[in-house]
Amino acid sequence: GENVEQHPSTLSVQEGDSAVIKCTYSDSASNYFPWYKQELGKRPQLIIDIRSNVGEKKDQRIAVTLNKTAKHFSLHITETQPEDSAVYFCQPPHLNYGGSQGNLIFGKGTKLSVKP
Amino acid sequence: KAGVTQTPRYLIKTRGQQVTLSCSPISGHRSVSWYQQTPGQGLQFLFEYFSETQRNKGNFPGRFSGRQFSNSRSEMNVSTLELGDSALYLCASSRGDRDTLEQYFGPGTRLTVT
């Protein structure tokens, strides 16, 4: 079943600082680990993802790291900017109550505020 | 290519009524998932349809149902509406195969139950 923890629920940083959001999961039902960003009033959009055959992936100022042994993956944002202010959701692998596999449930989200 | 579309964008219903929401996925996408988004509960997974079959289901009561048509368009129905059903309903499409799992979201339908 589902057991997803995303921390912290809110995060406030100064512009230029780094931000780290962590997602812990229990079911190893998939090898896909994405992060989505939802700006205020907009739809969620994928910003970065990683497959379980690698431990880290970077895309400019954002990165995702994966620790399969500890069952958590983290989103790292460096040199934060005001436009990074949004809610970030992880989407861990899970086993549906019926036993089906998927990447369909989301963490509860982290509201990131970047102060100029 | 065109993105995911949802209709209607806004809806006001009375408690006890039923409602049907529609989602048109990106061309070529066979998976459509539905989510309920509320300020306190984040993105709650309702169900996923793939090739006209419900493939995954969340923990919502039977009042919430859905279906998918042969062109991959999907509808979601909520019967006997309750005040707590007021939310933003998002659908997301993906190709649905194991190698392409990225989801693309529609703009959502804002449902208000009075």
Side-chain angles (χ1 to χ4, degrees), chain B residues 5-51:
Chain B
T5 59
Q6 291 186 244
T7 57
R9 293 293 312 278
Y10 302 91
L11 207 48
I12 299 175
K13 289 287 188 178
T14 303
R15 192 170 47 183
Q17 289 185 316
Q18 74 163 10
V19 67
T20 299
L21 312 181
S22 180
C23 173
S24 292
I26 291 171
S27 178
H29 285 192
R30 297 162 65 190
S31 167
V32 174
S33 300
W34 288 89
Y35 296 89
Q36 182 193 67
Q37 186 169 38
T38 58
Q41 295 298 318
L43 286 162
Q44 297 289 305
F45 170 65
L46 282 151
F47 29 66
E48 181 213 11
Y49 285 86
F50 179 81
S51 292

